[in-house]
Amino acid sequence: MQLTVWTYEGPPHIGAMRIATAMKGLHYVLHAPQGDTYADLLFTMIERRDARPPVTYTTFQAQDLGRDTAEIFKNAVAQAYERFQPQAMIVGASCTAELIQDDPGGLAKALALPIPVIPLELPAYQKKENWGASETFYRLVRALAGQPVERAPREGRRPVCNVLGPTALGFRHRDDIVEIRKLLDALGIDVNVVAPMGATPADLGRLGAAAFNVVLYPEIARAAAQYLEKTFKQPFTDIVPIGVKATERFVEAVAALAGVDPAPVLAGAPSRLPWYSRSVDSTYLTGKRVFIFGDATHALAAARIAATELAFKVVGIGTYSREFARELRAEAAEHGIEALITDDYLDVEAAIQAAAPELVLGTQMERHIAKRLGVPCAVISAPIHVQDFPARHSPQMGFEGANVLFDTWVHPLMMGLEEHLLGMFREDPEFHDGAAPSHLTRHGSTAIPSPLRRGEEVGVVPPAATEPSGTTPILIAPWAPDAEKELKKIPFFVRGKARANTERFARERQLPLITLETLYDAKAHFGR
Amino acid sequence: MNAHAPLPAAADCGVEVRQERGQRAVFCGLTGIVWLHRKIQDAFFLVVGSRTCAHLIQSAAGVMIFAEPRFATAIIDERDLAGIADMNEELDRIVGRLIERRPGIKLLFLVGSCPSEVIKLDLSRAALRLSKSLAPDVRVLNYSGSGIETTFTQGEDACLASLVPELPPAPAEAEAALMVVGALADVVEDQFARIFAELGIPARFLPARRAGEMPPVGRNTRYLLAQPFLTDTARSLEERSAKRLSAPFPLGAEGTTRWLRAAADAFGVDAQHFEAVVAPGQKRARRALAQYQERLSGKRVFFFPDSQLEVPLARFLSREMEAELVEVGTPYLHRAHLSEELELLPSGTIVNEGQSLDDQMDRCRKARPDLTVCGLGLANPLEAEGLSTKWSIELLFTPIQGYDQAGDLAELFCRPLVRRTRLEV
């Protein structure tokens, strides 16, 4: 058993729902107890979809367990077919139905429906949402892509590819696809099928007509692309085009697969990020300490952008996607740090505290951790809340995506600087010392919480912060008034760290009083 | 818990109760934790279930999940199912770690889920065992919030029912006392407490805000249900010799007055004194409601099943706001507890117990009601089809009971209608 408050990923059948909801003409019959329909509202509320997901639940109850839940399942499949007339169906069990061991695949087969019915085995007690999405997409492609056909020679026609990976409830998938289509079009490449988003089962039957595949989200589509490579001899690229450099490499890789010239697309200044990043206004971004956490695709991309396109210092990187731990570790080694592979947000919180970053890039959860710690933050990865399914065009991928990233990441920092300057020059009560930056609504306290002094309201005290019992409490030397005054002159967003460092410095040297000199000695000692 | 009671013999009140079976779009009882943990301030709710359960609570709790709330899930994994790990030992380990980290916890609920019920993990024995090892600091109780047994608010029923055997006994010779049963927002509870005090009725509330302050129960206890979904809690209270006061539920000016009057009558409060005490509240409520009447009058309302609050809400809308009722869906209808409500519904009202989702959506589309009360899974899809909706979960999280919330309650139904008239795009 594992104690959990927050989960980064849902169970695997949520992943299957993300595939089914992304597609058209596909219906999912899920053997599940009453209550599991809660998942509908992820799609109707968070993603603001205007139709129910194409999912029929059996919603069995305790009174049904003594009777025939298998019969309920068969009826649900028959009725769903009758009502929705899908081109194909997927059937499977949620965690509870997995325990009662009805056989959705066998039961559905017995109905002999005139459409493909694809059974899903999604082990709910071992696997999670992204795996479920990947497995579902792979099973669909396997079942529906058909037999390999001889592709006609190109003969002057534009090369054709498939784009694989975008799903429902994906972080910015809707807009990423727009950018990728633009890039492919500019390269003179036609798109055969985008899947699963917007594709029908019949479209999956046409996958073989493309010359190669573009995998945008390896978590979801790499397995299907590997199958297509083996069966259809379609090579694939899974360079994730997030960031300027990555987009350039993506364009080159795709152009190579298609046998076209990438130069015209890369010519000129397709993204504003490089110039914005070089402009003197960005100098203060140099060496900003950034902590990165998210799914593997976005965390890896973010680390490279942070280090090489914005000149941040990556002080932490991690993912909850265990399947991609190896890639993450390799990336972390590049930055001289250890990767954090965990799905326990308390570990992430502890790591953020230990790394003392000036910017956190993460999921919805890291946004809240950062808010609590008073550190600027931007969201780079699912899980996300409703505000990260924006109405405006807001891709992460391609050259426009790079523009979006520059704005999104720099904005909270810029605001920090702005607030500091205003605070320095004005004694206006609105800008007084304890006032929170306008972009951060902090809980309770108006003072900047020092990372080392948070605790009670958070309740669960991370082990690192618990003092060993039975020892004398650690005494902190008092601050001399002039030192305290000087501390207040330090920009508030690094003040907490300066205070902690100075106190540590004083403690280690057993100084009785923290003077002005101690403050600057500590600064010199710890450097930046 | 969801077993269907027999249909009432020739519904005397002119209400047609239909029953339906099929796909149900409802929450499970685990969801009750989201408001219960805020009510009992030193209680912790530990769900023993799957990743789905944790994901559900996270989705239902929205941003609340980040405030380090007093609930969590012990996720069963394959090691537990394969018998590699002893589930009871695992549970003890998790509870030990939890209590160590949250020393303020006085009451721990082990909450059963579909997976734990299906594999027949005996949480009641685990609760006994843990109660012994954690005594006297922490009491451990258990109940089931599983979807196979409970629908949405029935989770609260199961929780409160598990508290009843633990309530201190009231001395046999004690004066008659009132127990108000059902979690109410603190502000509502305080209002009711003041009114009962003015009426001279000794009243206590279940659940209390702290584990150590739960009200006593005995043969002199009269209890008044503040919520319509408390079947098992009522049964447990009866087993401890408490007697139910029959009343409609305190929604709207009329509902609140009738509810209070049931208590006043039972405690022999002088009619004139009663009028004097409730008059100011009643007047305020009527004044507040008046401004919404025009907008809701004649509007056709359709309720999908969700919380069992549907029948009292429909009664409020029809009698006090002059709305028309197209169909009143409820996940479960307790005939006795709802009898006074059913009598107040207009003759010919259709009450639909249970659900067959697609069929019900067809009926709703066909009727094209002015306002549809439904869950968040259906609301946006119905809006996209041109129907105004009011999402029902809000009715559980917003204070709606009593005189001073009557206007707010009406406003909740008005807002979507107003919005629709204002939007020009």
Side-chain angles (χ1 to χ4, degrees):
Chain A
M1 281 184 192
Q2 188 202 351
L3 184 63
T4 319
V5 178
W6 165 264
T7 67
Y8 283 98
E9 290 183 77
H13 73 261
I14 300 287
M17 283 184 72
R18 289 177 54 190
I19 303 296
T21 307
M23 289 181 61
K24 294 187 171 81
L26 179 74
H27 201 85
Y28 184 15
V29 180
L30 181 62
H31 204 16
Q34 165 175 270
D36 279 5
T37 51
Y38 81 87
D40 280 2
L41 66 88
L42 304 172
F43 298 90
T44 62
M45 295 305 292
I46 295 180
E47 203 179 5
R48 274 189 243 249
R49 287 196 166 249
D50 61 1
R52 287 192 59 232
V55 182
T56 295
Y57 305 79
T58 53
T59 59
F60 57 83
Q61 295 170 259
Q63 54 186 333
D64 303 318
L65 287 179
R67 294 178 230 156
D68 203 355
T69 47
E71 199 56 35
I72 294 178
F73 180 78
K74 272 166 74 175
N75 289 340
V77 174
Q79 283 168 15
Y81 174 70
E82 212 36 54
R83 178 179 281 270
F84 299 104
Q85 297 284 313
Q87 294 175 18
M89 269 180 154
I90 46 179
V91 296
S94 80
C95 51
T96 304
E98 186 182 331
L99 297 173
I100 62 175
Q101 298 188 332
D102 291 331
D103 169 20
L107 292 167
K109 202 173 165 196
L111 290 171
L113 296 177
I115 53 166
V117 177
I118 298 137
L120 299 175
E121 294 284 342
L122 304 176
Y125 298 91
Q126 299 167 29
K127 303 291 189 180
K128 291 183 279 188
E129 179 177 332
N130 280 336
W131 185 89
S134 171
E135 172 71 7
T136 303
F137 188 50
Y138 164 72
R139 291 284 155 199
L140 278 167
V141 167
R142 243 192 106 114
L144 300 172
Q147 294 305 310
V149 283
E150 196 64 28
R151 278 188 291 274
R154 232 172 82 196
E155 288 173 351
R157 284 193 303 275
R158 283 166 47 118
V160 174
C161 72
N162 301 312
V163 180
L164 307 179
T167 65
L169 220 58
F171 177 61
R172 308 293 165 87
H173 288 195
R174 177 196 71 193
D175 300 339
D176 283 348
I177 274 297
V178 174
E179 289 309 305
I180 295 306
R181 277 182 178 280
K182 262 194 249 171
L183 279 178
L184 293 172
D185 188 55
L187 283 166
I189 300 169
D190 281 342
V191 175
N192 177 45
V193 174
V194 174
M197 189 185 276
T200 62
D203 290 335
L204 296 189
R206 299 190 293 111
L207 284 170
F212 65 96
N213 290 312
V214 170
V215 172
L216 293 185
Y217 309 98
E219 276 103 332
I220 290 160
R222 187 184 282 170
Q226 281 165 343
Y227 170 78
L228 290 169
E229 182 177 48
K230 209 171 81 200
T231 321
F232 287 74
K233 307 282 177 287
Q234 288 171 329
F236 69 92
T237 169
D238 68 354
I239 295 171
V240 177
I242 299 179
V244 177
K245 275 286 157 214
T247 301
E248 286 172 3
R249 282 192 295 125
F250 170 83
V251 167
E252 281 159 6
V254 170
L257 285 178
V260 297
D261 181 12
V265 172
L266 301 177
S271 169
R272 292 182 200 98
L273 183 146
W275 167 240
Y276 270 51
S277 206
R278 278 171 199 277
S279 79
V280 293
D281 192 46
S282 298
T283 312
Y284 82 100
L285 300 176
T286 316
K288 282 271 183 219
R289 300 167 59 83
V290 57
F291 187 98
I292 297 166
F293 195 84
D295 66 16
T297 296
H298 290 89
L300 287 168
R304 265 163 257 149
I305 299 165
T308 63
E309 299 181 19
L310 293 168
F312 289 159
K313 181 174 170 52
V314 177
V315 295
I317 179 169
T319 185
Y320 57 81
S321 316
R322 283 185 189 280
E323 296 90 339
F324 290 78
R326 202 164 45 84
E327 282 97 324
L328 253 291
R329 291 207 174 93
E331 181 66 31
E334 295 274 306
H335 302 276
I337 49 178
E338 286 262 351
L340 175 69
I341 313 295
T342 182
D343 56 4
D344 185 341
Y345 77 95
L346 289 174
D347 292 349
V348 180
E349 186 174 73
I352 291 178
Q353 276 183 296
E358 292 159 276
L359 175 68
V360 174
L361 301 175
T363 72
Q364 183 71 355
M365 191 57 210
E366 284 68 48
R367 197 168 70 81
H368 284 268
I369 292 171
K371 188 188 278 186
R372 204 180 278 149
L373 300 176
V375 182
C377 176
V379 171
I380 58 158
S381 158
I384 47 208
H385 206 54
V386 62
Q387 69 268 29
D388 275 302
F389 287 95
R392 67 178 184 278
H393 184 58
S394 198
Q396 304 286 289
M397 290 186 172
F399 296 118
E400 179 59 22
N403 297 339
V404 170
L405 290 177
F406 183 91
D407 290 347
T408 312
W409 297 8
V410 172
H411 174 86
L413 292 172
M414 188 65 112
M415 296 298 283
L417 186 70
E418 200 174 276
E419 294 276 347
H420 168 59
L421 294 175
L422 286 170
M424 261 182 31
F425 296 120
R426 300 236 305 254
E427 292 290 32
D428 194 300
E430 240 183 286
F431 301 110
H432 70 84
D433 231 24
S438 58
H439 65 293
L440 297 173
T441 322
R442 223 175 273 119
H443 315 273
S445 152
T446 49
I448 307 289
S450 151
L452 294 177
R453 277 180 299 166
R454 55 180 283 285
E456 286 100 337
E457 71 161 5
V458 170
V460 179
V461 179
T466 351
E467 285 171 17
S469 56
T471 61
T472 38
I474 298 161
L475 291 172
I476 294 172
W479 285 71
D482 58 341
E484 185 89 50
K485 217 169 141 194
E486 195 73 4
L487 181 70
K488 290 202 171 130
K489 296 176 190 166
I490 295 173
F492 74 87
F493 44 84
V494 288
R495 198 181 304 147
K497 198 171 143 221
R499 178 188 283 279
N501 279 349
T502 311
E503 285 171 356
R504 186 171 138 209
F505 183 83
R507 197 165 53 240
E508 282 167 6
R509 281 155 193 77
Q510 295 182 326
L511 303 177
L513 184 74
I514 295 173
T515 61
L516 203 55
E517 208 178 8
T518 321
L519 178 67
Y520 285 112
D521 283 348
K523 183 168 188 286
H525 177 76
F526 288 108
R528 193 164 150 177
Chain B
M1 213 170 273
N2 286 312
H4 293 289
L7 285 165
D12 322 323
C13 46
V15 169
E16 190 187 337
V17 180
R18 296 177 183 171
Q19 285 179 325
E20 199 175 30
R21 293 201 56 181
Q23 186 184 188
R24 295 163 68 107
V26 287
F27 280 122
C28 65
L30 294 181
T31 329
I33 292 170
V34 179
W35 65 87
L36 282 169
H37 87 280
R38 304 205 59 218
K39 189 69 205 176
I40 315 174
Q41 290 158 12
D42 50 5
F44 193 100
F45 294 78
L46 180 66
V47 177
V48 181
S50 62
R51 180 167 300 279
T52 312
C53 306
H55 197 234
L56 157 86
I57 306 240
Q58 173 172 324
S59 310
V63 292
M64 207 188 276
I65 201 92
F66 302 106
E68 290 291 354
R70 280 173 284 100
F71 55 79
T73 309
I75 295 185
I76 298 170
D77 58 33
E78 55 175 341
R79 293 174 62 248
D80 302 309
L81 293 176
I84 297 166
D86 181 283
M87 279 217 239
N88 286 306
E89 282 171 19
E90 284 286 290
L91 193 58
D92 291 2
R93 178 180 63 83
I94 281 182
V95 168
R97 202 170 142 215
L98 189 70
I99 297 298
E100 210 171 273
R101 284 181 163 194
R102 307 292 292 262
I105 300 304
K106 296 278 177 271
L107 178 59
L108 174 68
F109 288 101
L110 301 179
V111 187
S113 65
C114 300
S116 74
E117 295 295 326
V118 167
I119 60 173
K120 304 213 184 315
L121 180 60
D122 193 342
L123 289 181
S124 64
R125 269 184 52 199
L128 274 177
R129 183 180 68 238
L130 284 162
S131 261
K132 247 182 232 158
S133 69
L134 296 171
D137 299 335
V138 185
R139 265 193 312 157
V140 185
L141 298 177
N142 100 286
Y143 72 89
S144 172
S146 74
I148 54 177
E149 294 159 296
T150 59
T151 304
F152 195 27
T153 48
Q154 285 178 324
E156 175 173 333
D157 185 28
C159 173
L160 299 190
S162 78
L163 276 172
V164 172
E166 301 284 309
L167 296 179
E173 67 283 3
E175 291 270 304
L178 178 68
M179 187 195 290
V180 178
V181 187
L184 293 166
D186 287 353
V187 57
V188 177
E189 187 181 307
D190 292 344
Q191 289 167 8
F192 285 150
R194 283 198 296 271
I195 294 176
F196 287 126
E198 277 182 67
L199 290 171
I201 299 172
R204 301 277 300 270
F205 292 80
L206 181 73
R209 293 178 201 183
R210 299 206 151 264
E213 294 163 9
M214 295 294 167
V217 64
R219 49 192 292 270
N220 300 309
T221 304
R222 304 286 172 271
Y223 71 94
L224 193 54
L225 297 179
Q227 302 281 15
F229 42 73
L230 299 172
T231 307
D232 286 2
T233 309
R235 193 181 305 134
S236 302
L237 285 167
E238 303 277 342
E239 277 165 15
R240 296 200 59 183
S241 309
K243 303 218 168 27
R244 183 172 72 91
L245 304 177
S246 183
F249 293 90
L251 297 170
E254 184 191 29
T256 304
T257 303
R258 286 177 182 258
W259 186 76
L260 290 169
R261 185 176 290 137
D265 289 350
F267 284 80
V269 177
D270 173 68
Q272 232 176 339
H273 180 54
F274 178 79
E275 286 307 322
V277 170
V278 301
Q282 239 177 350
K283 211 170 136 195
R284 280 199 304 275
R286 297 234 162 89
R287 195 165 53 218
L289 288 173
Q291 53 179 318
Y292 302 108
Q293 240 145 16
E294 197 184 335
R295 203 168 275 282
L296 285 170
S297 174
K299 291 288 185 290
R300 299 169 60 251
V301 185
F302 192 109
F303 282 89
F304 277 82
D306 190 45
S307 63
Q308 298 182 46
L309 279 166
E310 295 82 5
V311 169
L313 289 169
R315 180 264 303 159
F316 160 74
L317 286 179
S318 82
R319 289 176 64 92
E320 298 191 48
M321 309 311 287
E322 297 163 5
E324 276 181 45
L325 304 175
V326 180
E327 175 173 325
V328 182
T330 179
Y332 172 71
L333 184 69
H334 191 291
R335 307 304 195 269
H337 291 178
L338 271 297
S339 66
E340 304 226 350
E341 292 284 356
L342 290 171
E343 276 165 29
L344 293 172
L345 286 179
S347 179
T349 303
I350 297 164
V351 174
N352 195 69
E353 185 184 13
Q355 186 173 32
S356 170
L357 177 63
D358 289 312
D359 296 327
Q360 194 168 33
M361 286 183 82
D362 284 347
R363 292 199 297 276
C364 180
R365 289 178 182 123
K366 194 162 168 238
R368 299 217 53 90
D370 297 303
L371 187 66
T372 303
V373 184
C374 62
L376 289 173
L378 304 181
N380 271 337
L382 290 174
E383 289 278 352
E385 294 181 25
L387 296 173
S388 282
T389 61
K390 164 72 218 123
W391 46 283
S392 50
I393 307 166
E394 197 176 8
L395 297 160
L396 263 299
F397 292 99
T398 312
I400 56 169
Q401 292 86 358
Y403 290 129
D404 290 304
Q405 283 65 240
D408 303 343
L409 176 58
E411 202 271 340
L412 286 178
F413 293 104
C414 270
R415 200 183 304 160
L417 298 173
V418 172
R419 183 164 185 80
R420 194 161 270 261
T421 58
R422 287 205 190 157
L423 294 176
E424 293 179 8
V425 290

